[in-house]
Amino acid sequence: MGIFVDQVGYPAHGRKLAVCNCACNFQIIRLSDRKCVFDGVATKKGFDPSAGEETWEIDFSDLTEEGGFYILSGKGETSPVFSIDSKVYASLQKDLLKALYFQRCGCALTKEYAGAYTHEACHTSPAILYEDYAAHTENPQTFDMTGGWHDAGDFGRYTTPGAVAVGHLLYAYELFPESFRNSLNIPESGNGMPDVLNECLYELRWLMKMQFPDGSVSHKLTAYCHADFIMPEEDHDPFLIYPVSSMAAADFAAVMALASRVYAPFLPDFAKEALEKAKKSFDWLLENPYIGFHNPEGSNTGEYDDDCDMDERMWAAAELLRSDHDSIPAYREELQKYVDSDINKTDFGWTDVSGFALLSVLTDPAHTAGDKIETKLRQSLFAETERLLAVMEESGFSLAMKPEDFCWGSNMVVCNRSMLFILAALVSKGEQKEQYTQAALEQLHYLLGRNALNVSYVTGHGEHAFKNPHNRPTFADGIELPMPGWVSGGPFKTPCDPKACELIPAGTPPMKCYVDEVESYSTNEITIYWNSPAVFMTAYFETL
Ligand code: 9MR
Ligand code: ZN
């Protein structure tokens, strides 16, 4: 038998559900004195198609006492411990955000800020223009491309996922600034700017280096092949500035336009520069068609290939519409084109960024896009959230995921769906607002342990938190525990790395296709853009 709970915990007020996989009576036991503070009977929920199990629900919503607890079933089984607290996700949010500091490239991570997880400055040599490298040019052109965050367990830095991660974070700050008051203890802390903006600035300044003078933007900056499992400062492979893609230019334009607005009160010159750069890439896009990206023969670093740039162009138009007041009718016309197209409008991932356009339009206090666009985007939003609520109803874990949704990085899909519920809550009132807020929270409970594997997918948070992320420094640093606050990619219905294929038997239900193994890059890697939507979620829950 298993009893699955959010191993971090539940906000003191509101619904509190745990899940178990057989009929039972239950007691909630207070940790401090082992006394029963609440009891009841689990109610049958039904067969969960993703977990391949029957499920029952343990409802202890009426327990509002704060503290540490666990569940004891009539059969003597216990759940992991959890908290009930009015600010239950505060330290989680801090760690989710601080994790990005540990990805900083090009600078040393010192004890003062990194604790045990220090390393020397990495990847400081000038990077080589890919075309020159490929042509074996005698004196290839090189550029200073230092800075930014390592994308993931590898040391690559890629424009589209980088822009997306910063997007999640800047929107979180713009919408919930009060959730970002705490210091992250990073080198810039205390300089008068919130640390979320300090941390994003590190990535934005690097992104600016990815723009060519004509406004086009390089798709990625990586070595030809992934490094071994070594510390970043031991990696001396040349880094290459790969060719441009239209997705990179559009995401760049969007995130720079967003940054120009968010940073204006703190760094007016930077904000101006960001807007100029955004406009330049936008103009380049108007003159250029879709340009995709594929790795050259034999290269195995990330590809982030995408066969459609309409959603990226949509995000760029939506952001410039809000931030550049000089050409509103032109941006609006461009945005309208994509709003009227049949592309998806509700995703926040690296392939599909249309949800950011929708978010930007629907949370614009000035309503710059106008009624016509707003109405259409509202329809798209609610059509998708209604569909997702129905998916949740089918799930024993109140999870808005169908079995087929467990792709590589499925936890990102979970987080992005939670973000969409949050957006629906932000533009709703009364009971509907509460329903969407609750739906968003149920997704976080899955991530933090209320799932068929009883795993918290955030390092350092939860009794059964995963411990072996596919992350080079984690492997190479000789420290037993990983840095806290990393989100795992999570279950993948068709895992494709050798370790996962060896350990996960064929026919395993999608929600269980996961192994906490450092080698498993397709189920247990970490990335900047799997953490950033989780920051958005916890920032919202902090405001409640
Ligand atoms: O997150 C990406 C996932 O959606 C893709 O299915 C997968 C295969 O193309 O690539 C993932 O991205 C990886 C990137 O290519 C390189 N850095 C690590 C990323 C996470 O695994
Ligand atoms: Zn580096």
Side-chain angles (χ1 to χ4, degrees), residues 27-187:
Q27 295 186 328
I28 310 278
I29 308 292
R30 183 164 53 208
L31 265 183
S32 57
D33 58 4
R34 312 266 157 187
K35 286 228 165 82
C36 170
V37 290
F38 191 88
D39 61 8
V41 183
T43 50
K44 179 131 195 195
K45 190 79 203 275
F47 184 76
D48 184 287
S50 301
E53 289 205 54
E54 293 293 342
T55 57
W56 281 257
E57 228 165 49
I58 292 176
D59 188 340
F60 53 104
S61 305
D62 292 340
L63 177 64
T64 53
E65 179 181 326
E66 300 202 352
F69 305 89
Y70 63 90
I71 299 173
L72 173 66
S73 82
K75 298 176 173 143
E77 291 275 341
T78 55
S79 76
V81 298
F82 59 88
S83 298
I84 296 180
D85 197 300
S86 59
K87 287 280 171 231
V88 71
Y89 304 124
S91 98
L92 171 69
Q93 190 194 323
K94 189 170 163 238
D95 284 351
L96 288 167
L97 194 50
K98 176 76 183 253
L100 297 168
Y101 163 76
F102 289 109
Q103 295 300 94
R104 285 193 189 191
C105 183
C107 67
L109 302 191
T110 60
K111 202 166 157 232
E112 196 180 349
Y113 310 110
Y117 304 104
T118 57
H119 69 72
E120 298 301 313
C122 55
H123 306 112
T124 49
S125 308
I128 305 170
L129 199 64
Y130 172 75
E131 286 82 351
D132 288 0
Y133 174 88
H136 304 285
T137 309
E138 207 170 303
N139 287 309
Q141 296 172 73
T142 62
F143 297 87
D144 164 36
M145 299 297 285
T146 51
W149 301 316
H150 298 144
D151 177 57
D154 64 319
F155 300 136
R157 282 160 289 154
Y158 308 81
T159 300
T160 54
V164 162
V166 173
H168 290 130
L169 297 171
L170 295 189
Y171 287 121
Y173 171 75
E174 191 173 51
L175 293 168
F176 322 118
E178 64 277 32
S179 301
F180 292 95
R181 287 206 200 100
N182 292 339
S183 163
L184 289 182
N185 185 31
I186 55 178

Side-chain angles (χ1 to χ4, degrees), residues 151-154 158 226 301-305 350-351 407-409 412 492 521-522 525-527 529-530:
D151 177 57
D154 64 319
Y158 308 81
H226 284 309
T301 44
E303 203 166 45
Y304 291 113
D305 62 318
W350 61 264
T351 0
C407 56
W408 184 326
M412 179 184 85
F492 178 20
Y521 55 83
S522 73
E525 191 162 355
I526 52 126
T527 73
Y529 54 91
W530 295 336

Side-chain angles (χ1 to χ4, degrees), residues 186-204:
I186 55 178
E188 302 79 8
S189 293
N191 66 357
M193 190 158 80
D195 275 348
V196 61
L197 301 191
N198 281 322
E199 196 50 58
C200 287
L201 192 61
Y202 198 82
E203 179 76 353
L204 285 162

Side-chain angles (χ1 to χ4, degrees), residues 195-255:
D195 275 348
V196 61
L197 301 191
N198 281 322
E199 196 50 58
C200 287
L201 192 61
Y202 198 82
E203 179 76 353
L204 285 162
R205 287 218 154 105
W206 166 74
L207 275 169
M208 284 181 168
K209 297 181 182 176
M210 294 295 273
Q211 189 188 44
F212 290 107
D214 66 350
S216 65
V217 178
S218 160
H219 190 72
K220 67 168 186 173
L221 174 72
T222 70
Y224 202 77
C225 284
H226 284 309
D228 290 338
F229 265 59
I230 52 177
M231 290 301 281
E233 66 270 34
E234 290 163 1
D235 176 22
H236 300 296
D237 268 4
F239 265 54
L240 309 172
I241 306 162
Y242 280 90
V244 305
S245 74
S246 51
M247 279 70 67
D251 281 352
F252 176 92
V255 81

Side-chain angles (χ1 to χ4, degrees), residues 440-494:
L441 189 53
E442 302 298 351
Q443 312 314 304
L444 184 64
H445 293 328
Y446 164 87
L447 195 73
L448 298 175
R450 198 183 63 192
N451 54 60
L453 291 179
N454 210 0
V455 174
S456 165
Y457 290 113
V458 183
T459 52
H461 291 267
E463 192 178 321
H464 301 311
F466 85 108
K467 291 195 175 75
N468 303 297
H470 178 86
N471 184 26
R472 282 168 175 71
T474 299
F475 178 84
D477 65 10
I479 303 170
E480 200 192 325
L481 284 177
M483 304 127 192
W486 277 116
V487 175
S488 167
F492 178 20
K493 64 181 187 303
T494 51

Side-chain angles (χ1 to χ4, degrees), residues 345-365:
K345 314 267 177 359
T346 52
D347 268 349
F348 304 99
W350 61 264
T351 0
D352 198 339
V353 298
S354 55
F356 289 118
L358 180 138
L359 181 154
S360 187
V361 167
L362 295 185
T363 60
D364 176 6

